[in-house]
Structures are given as C-alpha cells and as structure tokens.
Amino acid sequence: VTGVVGRFNNTLQLLPRFTDDIPGTTAYVLAGGDIDRNTTFDVATWNIEWLGNTRNGPTNEPLQFNNAVQVLSGLQSDVIVLQEISSADAINQLVASLPGYAGNCSPFVSNNPGHEIPADPATPTTIPDDAQRVCVLYRTDVATLARQQPLLEKAGPLPGYPAAADNFWASGRYPYLW
C-alpha cells in the first residue's frame, strides 16, 4: 500500500493518492452514468482548504488554484458551495476561470474582529487576509441568484454555550442564504 500520511485530530491516516496505491482496487464507476446531465440538477460542496492563503493552507497557491479549477470544471455541477475561500480575489479568479459560472461570497467570515456585517451584502468590506468565507458558484444558464441574505445574524448565545465569537458559528461564519 502506498499513500500520503496525514492526521485527523490525533489519528494518523494513510491516504491513497491513486487507485493503484491500493492493490486489487478499481476506480469507482458511478451508477446511472448514462443519465443526460441536461436533465439533472447537480449540487456539490467542497472545503477548499484556505484557498488564497499560503500561511494556513497549501503553500503552492498556483498549484492549488489550478487543481481547484480542474476539479470544479470536471464536476460540471450546476451549483457549487465552497468553504474556506480565504482571499477576496479567489472567488473572482475562480469565476473568471470557469466559463458560464457566476458567484459570490457571504459577508460573514471567520477571524473578523467584531464580525462587522455590511448593510448591503453586495457591498465589500475590509476583511482580514486570513478570513475564511463560504462562497457559491452557479451556472448562469441553469440558475439565477434571486436574493441573498444572512441567517441568524441576530441570534444570541445559547444558554450554557460559550459566547465568544471563536466558539459560535465557525468563528463568525454565520449561515447564509443564497
């Protein structure tokens, strides 16, 4: 067996890189592969691990970005929700690299002191470079962004639950509706 050693919490893992890394296995073939993609509505989600921030995520940003474009292009999903977009420019670069897609990010970010919320979600705010955003990409020939709004931004701390921002809603990434 060949793979990359990783760790989740305190558990060591051996992660295969390719099907050939585990002898006797074959590539997974999705059942129903003959369904016409034009008759389905496909949604995907991906924690893209600090895209746009070399201090906290992968250090080879061009490689990470190019790999992300390759994976997202291959998905051909109608809607893609991405977590951990760390650069304000990363979503715009992804949209520019994926013809036929549009997208934007929630104004709620992690690591944002005070968690300032703009009055208009479309209005850019000053957000730290190490913030993590939740973003959406969508195919413009299939979906239209009708509206967007923050959810639960006025929700108070739960009884008995730590009230500090770093313990509540993923350090400031409140739920967001697209």
Side-chain angles (χ1 to χ4, degrees):
V1 175
T2 303
V4 176
V5 175
R7 185 177 75 193
F8 178 75
N9 292 328
N10 290 323
T11 304
L12 292 175
Q13 301 173 324
L14 181 61
L15 308 168
R17 302 160 303 155
F18 311 102
T19 304
D20 293 340
D21 285 349
I22 304 174
T25 61
T26 58
Y28 175 75
V29 178
L30 181 64
D34 58 347
I35 296 174
D36 182 2
R37 295 291 296 256
N38 293 321
T39 63
T40 64
F41 184 72
D42 302 300
V43 179
T45 183
W46 183 14
N47 182 326
I48 203 160
E49 294 191 37
W50 296 95
L51 183 68
N53 185 322
T54 56
R55 289 187 317 261
N56 292 303
T59 56
N60 188 334
E61 195 63 28
L63 178 63
Q64 182 189 20
F65 183 82
N66 291 336
N67 287 341
V69 169
Q70 182 179 0
V71 167
L72 295 172
S73 296
L75 286 176
Q76 300 177 5
S77 287
D78 300 312
V79 175
I80 304 166
V81 181
L82 300 169
Q83 299 84 40
E84 295 193 17
I85 300 283
S86 295
S87 162
D89 295 329
I91 191 71
N92 296 328
Q93 292 172 359
L94 281 174
V95 168
S97 299
L98 297 167
Y101 281 87
N104 68 5
C105 298
S106 164
F108 294 102
V109 300
S110 62
N111 299 325
N112 189 9
H115 304 286
E116 294 82 10
I117 303 166
D120 175 6
T123 303
T125 59
T126 302
I127 297 173
D129 288 338
D130 65 345
Q132 294 178 324
R133 297 156 179 80
V134 176
C135 304
V136 66
L137 298 171
Y138 58 93
R139 283 187 34 200
T140 57
D141 63 332
V142 174
T144 301
L145 179 59
R147 76 179 185 149
Q148 57 186 346
Q149 71 182 58
L151 297 176
L152 308 173
E153 81 273 16
K154 299 194 188 302
L158 301 171
Y161 191 84
D166 62 348
N167 289 322
F168 201 61
W169 296 114
S171 300
R173 285 180 286 159
Y174 287 84
Y176 200 70
L177 171 71
W178 277 280

